[in-house]
Amino acid sequence: MSQPRPITDLDALTRNRQRADPAALFLQQAARGEVEDRLAMVNKTFQSPAIVAAFPDLWAGHHAKAVVTPEAETLALPTQQHDLVIHSLGLHWANDPVGQLIQCRRALQADGLMLAVALGGQTLHELRSCLAQAESMVTGGLSPRVAPMAEVRDLGALLQRAGLALPVADTVPLKAAYRSMTHLMQDLRAMGEANAMTARLRHPTRRAVFDTAAKLYADTFPSDQGGIVATFELIVLTGWAPDVSQQKPLRPGSAQARLADALHTDETPLFD
């Protein structure tokens, strides 16, 4: 039985990231900022953190004790050696995102914290829509141009599948203004987020497709500052390695007081 074709061409992804401009990594910087904000709210000092990062230099000067390891299908993280694992804005390119979370969980000590940031399903929805409509109009077909990205509910479910306790997933929407669709696509290349899908076209796209998409974009998604608007959605995932000291939900039927009494209302029984 043949193996399914991977969504991401890892060689192309590596080339894209090697060509990235450090000055264009505002999404990576935003992800790092979200991680730092959440760590500031945790009443715990971490002694052995690990960071999974596509751009390790971005974390220089942050978490001096941290082991920084590159993104890979198999992460170079020893089992149960870290009390904090950060996965920084790479899950949306992973061919096996739940496998990445499982590896992070295995690297955690009991009651260790995992924090991951990924791009969510609303990211670049304007670009995806305009390119699809334009290609359909010009060529009568469609080709994959923007990587599929999971919704927050789906990513939250992956935390439970990975065996993490107290899972939380929330979103951080970001809006950016660009002069044109061309400038947006140039910025995506500069940040290492150009198309790296295995099923991408391997020949040049007709100019008419981009011209039509650019006009659709300008007409449909204008920015208040002029030009166009682009949406980026950061999804922040938080989970803990299970430990007996953690809070547990009460058993059904173990309540010591009636909800109706607390709400000062009458209870209406339900009949079979």
Side-chain angles (χ1 to χ4, degrees), residues 1 112 153 166:
M1 183 176 179
R153 180 179 298 179
L166 308 174

Side-chain angles (χ1 to χ4, degrees), residues 1 35 37 39 50 54 79 91 139 142 150 197 224 239 245 259 267:
M1 183 176 179
V35 167
D37 287 346
L39 287 177
T79 302
L91 284 177
T139 70
L142 289 175
M197 287 186 287
D224 293 339
S245 66
L259 179 61
E267 183 176 7

Side-chain angles (χ1 to χ4, degrees), residues 83-266:
D83 56 4
L84 170 67
V85 174
I86 298 167
H87 201 299
S88 178
L89 206 63
L91 284 177
H92 57 286
W93 283 119
N95 286 315
D96 182 15
V98 69
Q100 292 281 301
L101 295 179
I102 288 173
Q103 292 180 72
C104 291
R105 191 259 299 162
R106 288 175 177 169
L108 287 171
Q109 302 164 358
D111 201 36
L113 173 64
M114 194 280 304
L115 264 170
V117 186
L119 290 179
Q122 291 302 304
T123 298
L124 298 175
H125 70 86
E126 305 94 344
L127 179 63
R128 182 185 296 111
S129 172
C130 293
L131 283 173
Q133 185 177 347
E135 189 169 18
S136 179
M137 291 168 59
V138 174
T139 70
L142 289 175
S143 57
R145 297 183 179 277
V146 179
M149 301 173 199
E151 301 296 334
V152 62
R153 180 179 298 179
D154 300 325
L155 288 173
L158 294 187
L159 291 172
Q160 294 178 309
R161 287 182 57 190
L164 288 157
L166 308 174
V168 176
D170 63 280
T171 65
V172 181
L174 302 174
K175 298 284 187 180
Y178 289 90
R179 281 182 286 170
S180 67
M181 190 187 80
T182 299
H183 288 91
L184 167 59
M185 296 179 71
Q186 289 173 345
D187 203 28
L188 291 174
R189 285 193 291 271
M191 66 177 76
E193 294 290 339
N195 190 352
M197 287 186 287
T198 302
R200 70 192 185 278
L201 285 180
R202 303 305 175 104
H203 57 78
T205 299
R206 291 167 58 179
R207 178 62 181 268
V209 171
F210 290 121
D211 289 343
T212 302
K215 185 176 188 310
L216 287 169
Y217 206 138
D219 292 343
T220 311
F221 302 105
S223 168
D224 293 339
Q225 294 85 20
I228 61 170
V229 65
T231 298
F232 299 95
E233 180 187 34
L234 301 183
I235 297 181
V236 184
L237 305 175
T238 306
W240 296 80
D243 185 69
V244 294
S245 66
Q246 293 167 351
Q247 295 177 335
K248 302 289 191 303
L250 295 175
R251 298 191 316 275
S254 62
Q256 300 298 310
R258 296 168 66 247
L259 179 61
D261 293 340
L263 298 177
H264 305 292
T265 187
D266 295 328

Side-chain angles (χ1 to χ4, degrees), residues 11 47 83 242:
D11 290 337
Q47 301 298 328
D83 56 4

